């Protein structure tokens, strides 16, 4: 095995992240822009993707195009995107876009809105496909195409990387090989950034979360209050702990899920709840990566 596993991490004494202004919690909201890059009949996969939609789990086994599935995805880019943008921009709050390059290409109005917003874009791949099913050469090509596409649609190359569900054993090596990324988020194993090495080079990891994530509307959450209470509990514990051991909190959003009104109401309550607390750094993912690089420069793995 050439892909190491670390079961220890920072252990009982994690470092003080020294968040700006002594914040107890750094919280990063992530909008996953995937609609239009998912597997589809039109793009050659031979099936219609329905993951993380209201059709999730129905297993209708439709042969050919699933028009309902396509519509559930399209709702995200046609409607959900604009609702999420409004919720954050009305409050003057930053967020990060996990952007699938082909999806953003297919909605130039959304691309312009992202450019105008000041939100950062972390590359979510060329396509919303399983990278662990790609060959090394295919994955290298996907990374190259994604960077070129986002540079054209958003006006600058992405500095962060995160692929669908989980990386391949080659992903991090290829991200480092490309040479222009500041960090990746293909990890779920910590509540603080950490340094690792790939191909003998230092590389920053800013872990993500599938726990504080609206994907639970496909199983665990039934109401907007379920969403609010879950995220409130997570935030409250991190806020209490942050008096002595500050951490970061990642909150994942999907336009085709939380973008629906009955779900967005829970997000709205949570945004206002968090904003009502002092000593909280609501920030972009890129700013967390830059802060860590400056405040905790590489001094070996974990660092």
């Amino acid at each position: 095995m050439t892909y190491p596993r670390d079961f220890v991490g920072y252990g009982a004494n994690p470092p003080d992240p020294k968040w700006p202004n002594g914040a107890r919690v750094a919280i990063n909201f992530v909008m996953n822009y995937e609609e239009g890059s998912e597997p589809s009949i039109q793009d050659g996969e031979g099936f219609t993707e329905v993951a993380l939609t209201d059709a999730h789990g129905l297993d209708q086994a439709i042969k050919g195009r699933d028009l309902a599935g396509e519509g559930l995805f399209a709702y995200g880019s046609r409607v959900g995107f604009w609702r999420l943008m409004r919720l954050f921009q009305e409050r003057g709050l930053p967020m990060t876009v996990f952007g699938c390059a082909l999806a953003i290409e297919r909605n130039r109005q959304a691309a312009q809105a992202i450019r105008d917003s000041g939100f950062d874009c972390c590359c979510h791949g060329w396509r919303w496909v399983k990278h662990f099913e790609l060959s090394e050469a295919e994955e290298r090509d996907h990374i190259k195409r994604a960077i070129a596409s986002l540079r054209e649609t958003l006006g600058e190359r992405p500095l962060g990387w995160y692929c669908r569900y989980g990386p391949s054993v080659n992903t991090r090596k290829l991200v480092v090989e490309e040479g222009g990324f500041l960090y990746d988020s293909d990890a779920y194993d910590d509540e603080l950034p950490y340094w690792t090495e790939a191909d003998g080079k230092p590389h920053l990891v800013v872990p993500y979360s599938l726990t504080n994530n609206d994907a639970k509307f496909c199983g665990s959450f039934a109401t907007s209050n379920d969403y609010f209470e879950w995220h409130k509990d997570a935030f409250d514990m991190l806020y209490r702990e942050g008096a002595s051991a500050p951490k970061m909190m990642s909150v994942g959003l999907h336009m085709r899920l939380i973008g629906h009104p009955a779900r967005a109401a829970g997000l709205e309550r949570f945004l206002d709840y968090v904003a009502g607390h002092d000593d909280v750094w609501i920030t972009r993912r890129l700013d967390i990566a830059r802060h860590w690089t400056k405040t905790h420069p590489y001094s070996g793995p974990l660092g």
Side-chain angles (χ1 to χ4, degrees), residues 225-247:
N225 202 50
D226 291 340
Y227 179 91
F228 172 70
E229 291 292 338
W230 179 279
H231 287 78
K232 175 183 178 296
D233 284 349
F235 173 81
D236 285 348
M237 176 163 281
L238 289 170
Y239 191 78
R240 290 193 301 271
E241 292 178 346
S244 59
K247 299 288 178 56

Side-chain angles (χ1 to χ4, degrees):
M1 292 292 292
T2 58
Y3 200 87
R5 299 183 71 189
D6 180 357
F7 294 98
V8 178
Y10 287 122
N13 298 294
D16 180 355
K18 299 182 173 62
W19 300 134
N21 301 312
R24 292 186 178 199
V25 183
I27 183 166
N28 172 237
F29 292 91
V30 173
M31 177 172 65
N32 292 263
Y33 197 115
E34 299 157 347
E35 290 79 350
S37 66
E38 77 280 3
S40 67
I41 299 290
Q42 300 94 315
D43 287 320
E45 279 74 31
F47 68 98
T48 298
E49 179 69 76
V50 295
L52 303 185
T53 71
D54 288 302
H56 182 81
L58 293 181
D59 193 23
Q60 298 187 95
I62 294 175
K63 298 185 186 307
R65 292 177 65 182
D66 182 337
L67 298 182
E70 290 181 10
L72 290 164
F73 263 84
Y75 179 93
S77 59
R78 291 164 60 111
V79 181
F81 170 81
W82 300 105
R83 179 167 287 121
L84 295 183
M85 292 292 282
R86 176 182 60 79
L87 288 176
F88 280 81
Q89 291 180 311
E90 283 181 349
R91 291 162 174 77
L93 296 176
M95 74 170 156
T96 295
V97 177
F98 275 7
C100 291
L102 182 59
I104 293 176
E105 278 186 31
R106 287 172 166 168
N107 189 342
R108 293 304 176 116
Q109 288 186 40
Q112 188 62 50
I114 294 169
R115 291 181 73 151
D116 294 342
S117 70
F119 300 157
D120 61 317
C121 180
C122 173
C123 185
H124 199 15
W126 161 245
R127 300 282 312 284
W128 194 61
V129 296
K130 297 172 181 175
H131 273 241
F132 51 80
E133 294 180 346
L134 301 176
S135 70
E136 182 173 346
E138 288 171 331
E139 190 169 16
R140 181 180 286 108
D141 181 62
H142 273 235
I143 293 171
K144 178 181 178 181
R145 294 176 72 177
I147 294 168
S149 173
L150 291 172
R151 181 182 279 119
E152 193 272 323
T153 55
L154 300 183
E156 56 187 6
R157 65 152 294 149
L159 298 177
W161 174 270
Y162 173 74
C163 57
R164 178 182 177 181
Y165 295 148
S168 77
V169 294
N170 298 311
T171 303
R172 184 161 291 155
K173 178 188 74 171
L174 294 173
V175 165
V176 171
E177 173 190 288
E178 192 279 329
F181 289 100
L182 180 60
Y183 73 94
D184 80 59
S185 287
D186 281 326
Y188 308 96
D189 53 4
D190 216 304
E191 293 170 347
L192 286 175
Y194 59 85
W195 290 99
T196 187
E197 293 179 351
D199 270 0
K201 299 175 183 177
H203 180 68
L204 183 66
V205 177
V206 183
Y208 187 50
S209 172
L210 299 181
T211 303
N212 301 317
N213 197 294
D214 63 356
K216 286 186 166 55
F217 278 115
C218 294
S220 305
F221 296 161
T223 70
S224 63
N225 202 50
D226 291 340
Y227 179 91
F228 172 70
E229 291 292 338
W230 179 279
H231 287 78
K232 175 183 178 296
D233 284 349
F235 173 81
D236 285 348
M237 176 163 281
L238 289 170
Y239 191 78
R240 290 193 301 271
E241 292 178 346
S244 59
K247 299 288 178 56
M248 64 175 284
M249 179 178 182
S250 297
V251 179
L253 311 169
H254 293 83
M255 297 152 15
R256 61 192 180 277
L257 286 176
I258 200 77
H260 286 268
R263 296 172 180 145
L267 171 62
E268 186 174 47
R269 288 200 296 276
F270 183 61
L271 291 176
D272 292 339
Y273 179 76
V274 170
H277 288 71
D278 295 326
D279 302 325
V280 177
W281 185 33
I282 303 173
T283 188
R284 307 181 307 169
R285 205 162 196 82
L286 179 58
D287 297 324
I288 291 175
R290 284 174 169 163
H291 171 85
W292 200 267
T293 299
K294 179 180 178 180
T295 309
H296 298 277
Y298 177 76
S299 60
L302 276 186

